[in-house]
Every structure is written in structure tokens, then in C-alpha cells.
């Protein structure tokens, strides 16, 4: 998994590529935490290049949404590949992650 962060007009964009699983989800958590520490009003996690995500990675995303809300910030997930979107839908977290907003 690779993670990169860039600034946008409204906050931060975290671009993720590869597979997100228990062995590397901490890297995604670190990127989300850094964006939250910067108080970016809007944080987008772009999953367009993620081919697989396991429950640990999904937990990091859901936790990030909750921590952002607690801080008065907004975190959403965008552009999941079809297979990733299907898993998020099956788990019932797509709405919570802001997919399709």
C-alpha cells in the first residue's frame, strides 16, 4: 500500500493505492491522523487505486470519520473500485463513509 497526501482548496486529499490490510493499515491511520491534526476542514480519502481492503482497513476509515466528526471536521471516502465498494455496501458503512455524496 502507498499513501500520499495533498492539499486541496477545501482541505486535504489522501490518495491510497494497492491493498489495505492488517499488515499496513497503520500507514493509512497515520495519514488520517496527520490530516486531522492539521485541522483540515474537509478530508477526502481517495480509494480509486485500492484493489482490496480488509476489515482492519475499513475500521481505520470508520474510525477516521468518527474522529473527524468529534473534531468538527468532515472526512469522506471517494472513488472506491467496484469490488471495494461492494464490500463497504455489504458491511453497511458506505453511507457513514460519505460514499456517493
Amino acid at each position: 500500500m502507498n499513501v500520499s497526501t495533498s492539499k486541496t482548496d477545501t482541505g486535504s486529499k489522501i490518495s491510497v493505492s494497492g491493498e489495505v490490510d492488517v499488515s499496513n493499515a497503520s500507514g493509512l491511520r497515520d495519514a488520517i491522523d496527520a490530516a486531522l491534526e492539521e485541522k483540515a476542514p474537509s478530508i477526502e480519502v481517495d480509494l480509486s487505486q485500492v484493489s482490496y481492503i480488509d476489515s482492519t482497513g475499513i475500521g481505520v476509515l470508520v474510525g477516521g470519520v468518527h474522529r473527524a466528526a468529534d473534531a468538527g471536521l468532515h472526512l469522506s471516502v471517494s472513488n472506491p473500485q467496484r469490488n471495494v465498494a461492494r464490500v463497504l455496501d455489504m458491511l453497511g458503512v458506505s453511507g457513514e463513509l460519505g460514499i456517493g455524496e
Side-chain angles (χ1 to χ4, degrees):
M1 176 193 73
N2 291 312
V3 178
S4 64
T5 303
S6 58
K7 301 292 182 197
T8 67
D9 291 340
T10 58
S12 292
K13 179 177 182 178
I14 300 169
S15 299
V16 188
S17 63
E19 297 184 352
V20 181
D21 60 28
V22 68
S23 70
N24 59 20
S26 62
L28 177 56
R29 181 180 296 111
D30 292 345
I32 291 171
D33 288 347
L36 291 172
E37 285 178 21
E38 291 177 8
K39 304 286 188 212
S42 178
I43 302 163
E44 174 190 356
V45 180
D46 183 351
L47 298 184
S48 62
Q49 299 300 312
V50 172
S51 57
Y52 171 82
I53 189 166
D54 72 0
S55 60
T56 303
I58 294 167
V60 167
L61 294 173
V62 171
V65 167
H66 289 258
R67 290 193 315 279
D70 290 347
L73 307 172
H74 178 73
L75 185 144
S76 63
V77 173
S78 65
N79 307 313
Q81 291 185 12
R82 184 176 302 191
N83 56 327
V84 171
R86 188 174 62 242
V87 170
L88 298 174
D89 285 341
M90 286 181 1
L91 293 174
V93 297
S94 292
E96 189 173 0
L97 296 176
I99 296 172
E101 288 184 342

